[in-house]
């Protein structure tokens, strides 16, 4: 029996392959998963496998309820339990991405939110991209990866909040992003890295830079929610 539909496996493979193309990670420092909620499972990149070598058959199916691998000989990404925490907390999401993209990691290592300094940021993120609190010694010693996911859920809030803020930084670690599909979660990672780089350069030029709240709200709402008018329906 093959766990995870061919369509889901294909979507997760393509999303993982997008990580090196977008320069979001060096070596194998990133992973994407996608979920089949009806089947109660998600599939995720195997640990340490190069993106160029990755195939649909390599992807690891994981039971959503237990975190147990359902099939195959490969171990899932070490971040699998973080992904599982998000899927359990936020029923509307369909994909999760974790990377170590340079500029987003810089904010995480500095223990700083990424501030809203322009409309590029506001188009996707409804406010500053938050950094979590640090994990306690106890949280690092036991269930580390699951607790990594939990501190993000703690920082973001409920499913509605996760829709408006599809990214967070784990203090001293790096970014996680999520979305309706595996590829959308990667796209949010691409946007996150771009706005992190813009923020660093903006603050270097003007440490007091800000963006008016009314402008932030206008840009977010024209792409999200019932009054959104950006883009066109798919053909």
């Amino acid at each position: 029996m093959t766990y995870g539909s061919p369509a889901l496996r294909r979507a997760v493979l393509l999303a993982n392959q997008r990580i090196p193309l977008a320069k979001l990670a060096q070596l194998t420092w990133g992973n994407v998963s996608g979920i089949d909620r009806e089947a109660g499972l998600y599939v995720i990149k195997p640990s340490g496998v190069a993106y160029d070598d990755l195939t649909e058959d390599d992807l690891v199916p994981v039971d959503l309820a237990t975190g147990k691998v359902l099939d195959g000989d490969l171990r899932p990404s070490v971040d699998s339990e973080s992904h599982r925490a998000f899927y359990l907390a936020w029923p509307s999401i369909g994909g999760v991405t974790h990377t170590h993209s340079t500029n987003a990691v810089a904010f995480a290592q500095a223990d700083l939110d990424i501030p809203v300094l322009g409309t590029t940021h506001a188009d996707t993120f409804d406010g500053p991209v938050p950094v979590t609190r640090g994990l306690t010694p106890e949280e690092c010693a036991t269930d580390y990866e699951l607790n990594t996911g939990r501190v993000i859920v703690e920082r973001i809030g409920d499913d509605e909040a996760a829709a408006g803020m599809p990214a967070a930084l784990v203090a001293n670690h790096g970014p996680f992003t999520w979305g309706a599909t595996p590829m959308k979660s990667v796209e949010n990672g691409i946007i996150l890295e771009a706005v992190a780089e813009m923020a660093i350069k903006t603050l270097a030029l003007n440490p007091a830079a800000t963006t008016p709240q009314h402008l932030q709200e206008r840009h977010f709402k024209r792409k999200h929610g019932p009054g959104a008018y950006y883009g066109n329906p798919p053909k």
Side-chain angles (χ1 to χ4, degrees):
M1 177 179 181
T2 299
Y3 291 90
S5 70
L8 178 61
R9 286 178 172 268
R10 182 64 176 167
V12 173
L13 175 65
L14 292 174
N16 274 285
Q17 291 173 335
R18 186 77 184 274
I19 288 177
L21 292 175
K23 296 181 169 55
L24 293 182
Q26 304 291 325
L27 303 174
T28 60
W29 300 350
N31 47 76
V32 184
S33 68
I35 191 167
D36 181 339
R37 292 195 178 272
E38 192 171 310
L41 64 86
Y42 60 95
V43 295
I44 190 168
K45 180 183 179 293
S47 180
V49 175
Y51 302 103
D52 288 344
D53 298 333
L54 195 61
T55 69
E56 291 178 26
D57 290 339
D58 292 329
L59 298 171
V60 182
V62 180
D63 186 276
L64 177 61
T66 66
K68 302 296 185 183
V69 172
L70 294 168
D71 190 32
D73 300 324
L74 295 176
R75 290 192 295 267
S77 163
V78 294
D79 301 299
S80 179
E81 283 290 272
S82 302
H83 291 236
R84 191 166 74 91
F86 305 147
Y87 290 131
L88 289 171
W90 302 323
S92 70
I93 69 170
V96 175
T97 295
H98 172 52
T99 75
H100 286 258
S101 60
T102 301
N103 293 284
V105 166
F107 274 95
Q109 293 183 164
D111 199 16
L112 293 171
D113 296 352
I114 303 175
V116 187
L117 299 176
T119 60
T120 310
H121 181 126
D123 280 340
T124 300
F125 305 113
D126 190 15
V129 176
V131 64
T132 68
R133 63 172 176 82
L135 274 72
T136 66
E138 293 76 19
E139 288 170 328
C140 287
T142 304
D143 296 330
Y144 168 65
E145 289 81 12
L146 182 59
N147 288 326
T148 296
R150 285 171 172 167
V151 296
I152 288 182
V153 173
E154 172 188 294
R155 186 70 175 83
I156 293 294
D158 62 13
D159 194 49
E160 183 178 357
M165 180 54 63
L169 309 174
V170 179
N172 309 117
H173 185 166
F176 283 83
T177 55
W178 46 89
T181 65
M183 189 61 79
K184 186 62 179 177
S185 73
V186 178
E187 290 174 0
N188 286 334
I190 293 170
I191 297 167
L192 178 67
E193 176 60 12
V195 300
E197 181 179 8
M198 292 174 190
I200 289 170
K201 292 179 176 179
T202 300
L203 293 170
L205 291 169
N206 179 8
T210 61
T211 299
Q213 184 65 33
H214 64 272
L215 184 61
Q216 295 179 37
E217 292 177 0
R218 177 63 175 181
H219 269 259
F220 185 80
K221 289 180 178 179
R222 74 176 186 170
K223 293 187 75 172
H224 307 276
Y229 58 92
Y230 176 89
N232 286 282
K235 293 183 179 179

